[in-house]
DNA sequence: TTCAAAATGTAGCATCGGCTACATTTTGCG
DNA sequence: CGCAAAATGTAGCCGATGCTACATTTTGAA
């Protein structure tokens, strides 16, 4: 419009290498693909540890989805060897599922702690962490731990 | 198994209020729903600013998806009023799309800067940021900015 | 100018994770 | 015990986002 070729309305944009950029997006997509599974195993593990039972209806209510949706995702957990269940009984985690839950919970806490440490209000930290946690790599996680220990 | 009622193998788990927890998960899901759109407008804006054209094939290659997938997503951008395009021509952003791109880019940079500030290696920061950025709330973003200015 | 390669469009398929609607089973209360 | 309510299972729909395969258009080089 009013902008001419020689104006410097914006710094010249330097794009990353194509392959590098593609790899970053692919990583983000793959992290997202496991996000639902991670939330389920973490929640199931919490329910089992706190009360004793992890029933589809409870899981659904806490996740804010319909029980049909929860049941379908639990089916995926079972297909992937993370959970077990029998009709009309609660859901349980396999050793693999339990191990995943432990990692996911530790990561969740570390993310919350880091957010709070840099000045994010606690409830906001908890809320944001629920989405952020699935995209924090082990390397970044280690950096967070170092930072918090400083 | 070997665990008795009175043992303290693990700290008693205190679960958040159901409604609060559901709301957190819902927020994370809604953030995820806009993630793809955000990545596309940011990338299109970068391509337009750097070279001049944003063609479906370039977009696809940089995102690491097939051109058919990119075309489908560009269709969604158009449906949502963020982009325009005519057959066999490049893709352009609407004012709304451009405004979104600006916000997304600013947020992306802030996230990268914060990660680096707390000790995450730069390339790792860039990689993780691609997924993280979509889940950082405005409140957290403001906290990041404050922290970096300290 | 011609024509093959590249880019683009389009159709069709799959998976995932939402939903509603309805069928079945279990539970608990009178 | 019996029966209604709650929980659970299941079917079928949808949109988003991947893919491959193939049709069409554009482009550029001989
Ligand atoms: Mn989460
Ligand atoms: Mn979590
Ligand atoms: Mn991104
Ligand atoms: Mn980005």
């Amino acid at each position: 419009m009013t902008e001419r070729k020689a104006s410097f309305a914006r710094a010249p944009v330097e794009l990353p290498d194509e392959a590098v950029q593609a790899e970053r997006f692919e990583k983000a997509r793959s992290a997202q693909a496991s996000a639902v599974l991670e939330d389920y195993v973490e929640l199931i593990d919490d329910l089992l540890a706190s009360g004793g039972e992890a029933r589809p209806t409870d899981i659904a209510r806490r996740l804010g989805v319909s029980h049909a949706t929860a049941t379908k995702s639990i089916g995926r957990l079972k297909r992937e060897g993370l959970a077990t269940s029998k009709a009309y009984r609660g859901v349980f985690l396999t050793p693999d599922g339990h191990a995943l839950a432990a990692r996911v919970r530790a990561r969740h806490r570390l993310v919350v702690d880091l957010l709070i440490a840099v000045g994010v209000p606690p409830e906001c930290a908890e809320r944001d962490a629920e989405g952020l946690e699935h995209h924090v790599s082990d390397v970044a996680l280690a950096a967070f731990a170092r930072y918090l220990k400083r």
Side-chain angles (χ1 to χ4, degrees), chain A:
Chain A
M1 337 249 148
T2 56
E3 190 174 64
R4 286 169 307 163
K5 222 178 191 175
S7 78
F8 288 89
R10 190 167 150 194
V13 175
E14 199 54 39
L15 292 172
D17 176 78
E18 279 181 1
V20 168
Q21 198 168 15
E23 197 259 351
R24 289 177 192 159
F25 284 118
E26 279 158 15
K27 271 272 171 16
R29 281 196 298 273
S30 110
Q32 192 52 42
S34 13
V36 169
L37 295 185
E38 292 179 350
D39 284 336
Y40 272 78
V41 295
E42 184 183 4
L43 175 57
I44 290 168
D45 199 49
D46 282 344
L47 288 170
L48 291 174
S50 72
E53 277 195 299
R55 298 156 76 207
T57 298
D58 296 336
I59 296 169
R61 195 166 39 229
R62 294 199 107 91
L63 287 171
V65 298
S66 73
H67 85 273
T69 295
T71 298
K72 209 176 280 190
S73 293
I74 291 165
R76 193 179 156 208
L77 290 186
K78 291 162 79 173
R79 277 206 311 281
E80 310 218 353
L82 297 170
T84 60
S85 80
K86 287 177 186 161
Y88 297 97
R89 299 293 119 172
V91 181
F92 299 92
L93 295 178
T94 64
D96 276 5
H98 194 263
L100 177 58
R103 283 200 306 278
V104 168
R105 182 182 304 104
R107 195 187 51 191
H108 184 124
R109 286 180 183 158
L110 201 42
V111 170
V112 170
D113 289 348
L114 181 100
L115 289 174
I116 291 174
V118 300
V120 177
E123 171 52 25
C124 177
E126 284 290 352
R127 216 182 5 229
D128 287 10
E130 203 51 73
L132 293 172
E133 57 179 357
H134 310 285
H135 297 275
V136 180
S137 64
D138 287 345
V139 172
L141 215 56
F144 290 2
R146 264 196 311 276
Y147 177 85
L148 289 169
K149 206 162 38 179
R150 101 235 161 272

